[in-house]
Amino acid sequence: MNRKENGIKVKKLLVIVLTVSIMLGVPTITNVNSYISVQDVYAAVKINKKTARVLKGEKITLKITGTKKKVIWLSNKKSIATVNSKGVVTGKKKGTATITAKVGNKKYTCKVTVEVPVLNKTSITIYTGKSYQLKLNGTQQKITWSSSNKSIATVNSKGKITAKKVGTTYVKAKVQGKVYSCKINIIKDVTYSIKKDNNLNKVINRLNSYCVAESANKPQTKNTEIKLSNKNMISIASYVRYNFNNDETFTKNELVNTVKLLFGKSITNIELGNWIRKAISYDYTSDPYVYAGGDWGNYCAKYNILKIIETSNNVYKITIDGNMYCYETGKMKKICTVNLYIKKSSQSSYGYIVTKCNYKGTGVGYF
């Protein structure tokens, strides 16, 4: 039943009471319509919200209904929330403010809480088949969760992510029209499935040994990225030729082929003189771009695969312990931790090529 119908019934009732009162000589209200309209006005005027939540930078609109009188809007904490002449409230910073609407001598208030939501993670890495609970903290409003690629990762109504397959996607949390995104990287642990691949081990052994040699010559504890420039690839190729093929002298073609074998790239402008001289004289140097290898004597580089992760289709990150073994003492020392990034490729007879390499030394050196 609406207000109009209620008003009609009340009027009818008052007419009956008025008639009876006149017959009985009881004092009466002579202006029924005026009385009813005044009561209706006071009963109808109200504010549409007594409490509200708004995000920082977002807006909500408050309204006064039941009157045509001028409404004056005020905020008691403009640094937290402002309000314009039309009742539009803007969140400024986290906190609570009271918005007041003045209509004549009457005041109507709304308690406004300004929220600043924050995702607990903006980028995460998950193994296939695993889950992660993403949270949007700092809000009590309804959150709508979605994934930009459900075939890679899904998310439920509470923000729980489930990794489906290798790849990258974004999970989004939406509140009041504002979107918060988290980058999701899905990788696959393939350590046990390809750890015994002989071709893979050849690549790992050569690159790991080079990193062990670099770390042993320059003891340090920082992360060092080996940039695969032409000079650096020639350096590694020289090292591999000398230490794995027992070549004291090698040709330009042999270096080119070794680079191709490890990196799937062809290089030119090789100056052989310095490389051959470095290898024959067993000359160690701290310059990684001209280090060609040396006589290890009673020392041998060893490696231990810690984990192999498939970061995308046929691309792998291999984490290795780089160790130095001394035959005289029979002891092994960890020299560095190596991260090799490789991918399957027909460009190398090994079936894999190196795309990136870095290591972190332990600070223990042998030379």
Side-chain angles (χ1 to χ4, degrees), residues 104-241:
N105 295 325
K106 292 285 184 177
K107 293 182 180 180
Y108 305 88
T109 61
C110 176
K111 182 180 177 182
V112 175
T113 301
V114 179
E115 299 176 334
V116 185
V118 178
L119 279 171
N120 60 330
K121 293 284 184 180
T122 55
S123 178
I124 56 172
T125 298
I126 316 174
Y127 292 147
T128 52
K130 300 296 182 180
S131 297
Y132 182 83
Q133 181 62 55
L134 198 60
K135 296 179 181 179
L136 184 64
N137 298 315
T139 182
Q140 294 183 22
Q141 299 184 72
K142 181 182 178 181
I143 304 170
T144 302
W145 296 93
S146 64
S147 170
S148 60
N149 192 331
K150 293 180 182 179
S151 67
I152 293 175
T154 59
V155 61
N156 68 10
S157 60
K158 295 183 178 180
K160 185 178 180 180
I161 300 167
T162 301
K164 294 295 186 180
K165 70 177 183 179
V166 172
T168 301
T169 186
Y170 288 86
V171 166
K172 300 176 181 179
K174 187 176 180 180
V175 179
Q176 261 190 5
K178 194 166 185 176
V179 177
Y180 303 83
S181 295
C182 178
K183 184 178 181 181
I184 312 297
N185 297 304
I186 310 299
I187 58 178
K188 185 178 181 181
D189 187 346
V190 293
T191 306
Y192 299 104
S193 63
I194 67 172
K195 189 175 181 179
K196 295 181 180 180
D197 186 323
N198 288 331
N199 284 331
L200 181 72
N201 285 322
K202 287 178 183 178
V203 177
I204 292 173
N205 197 16
R206 283 151 176 74
L207 269 294
N208 177 74
S209 296
Y210 181 82
C211 292
V212 169
E214 286 299 306
S215 186
N217 280 313
K218 298 182 296 180
Q220 43 74 50
T221 55
K222 65 180 181 179
N223 283 309
T224 302
E225 181 178 351
I226 298 178
K227 295 181 180 179
L228 301 179
S229 62
N230 277 359
K231 284 186 177 180
N232 200 282
M233 288 189 291
I234 294 169
S235 175
I236 295 172
S238 301
Y239 176 87
V240 170
R241 296 299 305 175

Side-chain angles (χ1 to χ4, degrees), residues 245-262:
N245 296 73
N246 297 315
D247 290 351
E248 290 190 358
T249 61
F250 33 78
T251 67
K252 176 180 177 179
N253 285 338
E254 285 174 331
L255 287 183
V256 170
N257 289 336
T258 303
V259 170
K260 183 78 172 176
L261 191 70
L262 292 173

Side-chain angles (χ1 to χ4, degrees), residues 279-310:
I280 293 176
S281 65
Y282 312 130
D283 186 7
Y284 293 97
T285 174
S286 61
D287 184 351
Y289 293 109
V290 298
Y291 174 76
D295 184 3
W296 289 101
N298 288 328
Y299 298 102
C300 179
K302 299 285 185 180
Y303 73 94
N304 174 43
I305 296 175
L306 301 178
K307 183 160 286 189
I308 304 175
I309 301 299
E310 185 179 3

Side-chain angles (χ1 to χ4, degrees), residues 331-349:
K331 293 181 179 180
M332 184 93 69
K333 282 191 177 182
K334 180 179 176 180
I335 296 295
C336 57
T337 298
V338 181
N339 283 317
L340 293 180
Y341 296 81
I342 66 172
K343 67 178 180 180
K344 287 185 177 180
S345 174
S346 59
Q347 292 176 287
S348 169
S349 59

